[in-house]
Amino acid sequence: MHISEGILSGPVLISGMAIAAAGTAIGLKKLRNEDIAKTGMLAASFFVASLIHIPIGPAGVHLILSGIVGLLLGWAAFPAILVALTLQATFFQHGGITTLGVNTVIMALPAVVCHYLFAPLIWKNKTISAIGAFGAGSIAIVLNAVIAGLALIYTDEGLFKAAALIMGAHLPVMIIEGIISIFCVAFLKKVQPALLPGFKSINN
Amino acid sequence: MINEPFAAGTSIIHKLGPRYRIVIAVLYAFIVAVSYQFPVLILSLCISAIMAVCAQLNFRALVQRLLLVNVFILFFWIVLPLTGGGDIQFYVGPLPVYKNGILMSARITLKSNAILLSLISLIATMPFSVAGQALHALKVSDKIVHLLLISYRYIFVLEQEYRRLITAARIRGFKAGNNIHTLKTVAYLAGMLLVRAVRRAERVHQAMLCRGFKGKYYCLASFKPSYGNWIFTTFMAIIIICLAVMEWGNI
């Protein structure tokens, strides 16, 4: 969920920037030089994944994958998402420059929360792992919609019902992202397990 | 396809220094974003339109971008007047239409379009690589500049990778529909994209190490000083101050 330019009020924009700056600072501090290429590349794949469309009924949504990004990157999700959103804002004018802070918080904060909640479940048995993956995908979307909704409501109480509508519209997205996340994590466990957090190689 | 339809050009705006454009664009966007009064918003929309004319933007691409955002704004025009609260302006059949909602939607429309036009004119008119170098010159953290430029470099590559994967799936008869099979396929496709991205990142990192990468961004590009930059900056600074005075001053 992006909020575009010209909707939010000054205080909301500034608080968004402050939280995004703090998150990004932590993310950058934890980001080692050897992870820069990987994080940049994952930011790029996050951007490209948003071009993938999935039909829901007659309409469609695009992939968000913020849960997966959170699982893979932890705090580095903040700078990665900031970068992906900057690219989106300059390339497609999705989101925007003044809303960059708020949008980064909307996407990255849930990603980090999901990392801490669900990363420990990934290497448990099959059922728990699937539950963890579903949780990461769907809870990320729920929090995403909640933060976006709060940003709208704090801007103007008149936006309350619009915010409620937007949050409601996220319900199907939440289920879809959860299911995609289950398959995606199962796939990564088979193909590139070292990518997932907490992977211990048999060799060492 | 991902592309930058406005980046190349020979207009006056394309010739201005990227650093000045970025700073002014951000300040201007913020002043418009926090404005509330209609005269200020209408004036800023006019100023942004003048910038767009100066930048000689590709008209079709511009209309496309503006349409996209205004379709999103249409959602507010449908919802807010019916739910905004406050005084009732008039009735459509049994439904009350609120004045607050109409004003709010109008404000959103003016602001969005004004900011969008200014950003397209000032920032989308430079290749993103130049924007990265300009941010470096503006003392943005090296790590962020690296991330921005690496992402920019590889979104095109990864997009091709994605197109290859989806073509391969289609050749095998994949058709997106409302079923679990579609979700599974898309999830594997996204997973494959991540795997390829990370494997490529390993190679890129090794190549960077070979070239002596230690986390610092060395920039060979230099920005030529010119009087035009200062004229533009002063002029825009005056406009921004005028907008602020109109918004908050008691005149």
Side-chain angles (χ1 to χ4, degrees):
Chain A
M1 169 69 208
H2 281 112
I3 297 183
S4 51
E5 304 269 20
I7 294 165
L8 301 175
S9 67
V12 173
L13 292 176
I14 290 168
S15 346
M17 282 201 327
I19 302 172
T24 308
I26 299 174
L28 287 181
K29 197 148 192 196
K30 292 191 174 223
L31 182 69
R32 299 168 306 162
N33 279 341
E34 50 266 43
D35 289 333
I36 286 181
K38 189 180 106 183
T39 311
M41 203 74 81
L42 284 174
S45 25
F46 186 57
F47 177 103
V48 172
S50 72
L51 301 173
I52 305 179
H53 280 263
I54 307 161
I56 307 184
V61 290
H62 69 80
L63 272 191
I64 304 177
L65 289 191
S66 45
I68 296 279
V69 170
L71 278 184
L72 301 189
L73 288 175
W75 278 100
F78 260 99
I81 285 172
L82 175 69
V83 161
L85 290 177
T86 310
L87 284 166
Q88 269 178 348
T90 44
F91 274 57
F92 305 136
Q93 283 76 42
H94 284 179
I97 296 293
T98 60
T99 51
L100 198 55
V102 175
N103 282 332
T104 304
V105 176
I106 289 176
M107 311 278 273
L109 195 60
V112 175
V113 170
C114 284
H115 178 85
Y116 281 102
L117 286 181
F118 299 110
L121 305 182
I122 294 303
W123 293 104
K124 300 275 183 350
N125 71 44
K126 217 172 167 188
T127 326
I128 296 180
S129 167
I131 293 171
F134 183 85
S138 56
I139 301 293
I141 301 298
V142 173
L143 294 175
N144 195 310
V146 168
I147 301 175
L150 285 178
L152 287 174
I153 292 165
Y154 274 110
T155 289
D156 193 309
E157 280 167 17
L159 288 166
F160 187 81
K161 287 194 181 133
L165 265 177
I166 290 175
M167 288 200 235
H170 274 75
L171 277 176
V173 183
M174 172 198 121
I175 295 166
I176 287 199
E177 285 272 335
I179 297 171
I180 291 218
S181 179
I182 296 179
F183 287 130
C184 201
V185 167
F187 177 84
L188 291 176
K189 272 170 97 168
K190 279 184 214 147
V191 179
Q192 189 90 341
L195 199 51
L196 291 164
F199 172 70
K200 287 181 192 69
S201 160
I202 306 163
N203 296 330
N204 49 25
Chain B
M1 282 299 276
I2 308 173
N3 54 13
E4 300 174 284
F6 310 112
T10 52
S11 72
I12 338 172
I13 295 206
H14 284 89
K15 284 183 188 134
L16 290 169
R19 290 170 297 170
Y20 299 88
R21 275 195 264 163
I22 291 179
V23 172
I24 289 293
V26 171
L27 287 177
Y28 180 80
F30 268 99
I31 223 55
V32 178
V34 299
S35 294
Y36 191 75
Q37 297 181 24
F38 278 101
V40 179
L41 295 177
I42 293 168
L43 181 64
S44 51
L45 185 60
C46 296
I47 296 168
S48 303
I50 294 171
M51 285 195 254
V53 171
C54 288
Q56 297 170 0
L57 302 171
N58 174 343
F59 191 69
R60 265 188 74 177
L62 182 66
V63 170
Q64 228 174 22
R65 303 295 157 104
L66 290 179
L67 266 183
L68 201 76
V69 170
N70 283 297
V71 167
F72 181 67
I73 291 172
L74 199 64
F75 162 79
F76 286 101
W77 276 104
I78 295 167
V79 176
L80 292 186
L82 299 176
T83 63
D87 300 338
I88 294 172
Q89 185 79 356
F90 56 85
Y91 287 87
V92 179
L95 295 169
V97 174
Y98 296 98
K99 197 176 168 192
N100 265 352
I102 298 177
L103 291 179
M104 235 188 308
S105 311
R107 257 186 221 112
I108 290 174
T109 314
L110 288 170
K111 278 190 198 181
S112 291
N113 285 294
I115 298 177
L116 207 68
L117 275 174
S118 71
L119 289 180
I120 294 179
S121 314
L122 294 176
I123 296 187
T125 46
M126 60 180 102
F128 197 82
S129 50
V130 174
Q133 293 156 0
L135 289 176
H136 172 72
L138 291 168
K139 309 283 177 224
V140 170
S141 135
D142 274 6
K143 277 181 180 168
I144 285 278
V145 175
H146 271 123
L147 290 178
L148 275 172
L149 291 178
I150 290 176
S151 295
Y152 171 65
R153 163 70 178 81
Y154 287 101
I155 47 175
F156 305 97
V157 177
L158 290 176
E159 195 213 359
Q160 286 209 325
E161 201 88 74
Y162 160 62
R163 303 240 173 255
R164 261 213 299 270
L165 288 168
I166 197 84
T167 309
R170 283 200 189 119
I171 285 171
R172 288 169 176 78
F174 170 70
K175 207 166 169 294
N178 288 300
N179 50 39
I180 201 93
H181 174 68
T182 302
L183 295 185
K184 196 168 177 178
T185 310
V186 168
Y188 285 1
L189 206 147
M192 201 59 213
L193 202 63
L194 292 173
V195 167
R196 297 218 175 144
V198 170
R199 293 211 175 139
R200 191 181 289 275
E202 276 164 21
R203 294 200 300 277
V204 169
H205 178 64
Q206 283 158 0
M208 284 159 76
L209 286 181
C210 289
R211 289 160 178 78
F213 175 68
K214 278 197 191 121
K216 189 160 165 45
Y217 179 69
Y218 295 97
C219 184
L220 298 180
S222 60
F223 297 107
K224 281 190 221 113
S226 87
Y227 290 119
N229 289 338
W230 286 109
I231 296 169
F232 163 75
T233 310
T234 319
F235 184 67
M236 285 307 293
I238 293 170
I239 287 180
I240 290 171
I241 292 168
C242 287
L243 288 175
V245 170
M246 272 175 77
E247 173 70 31
W248 293 289
N250 296 315
I251 39 171

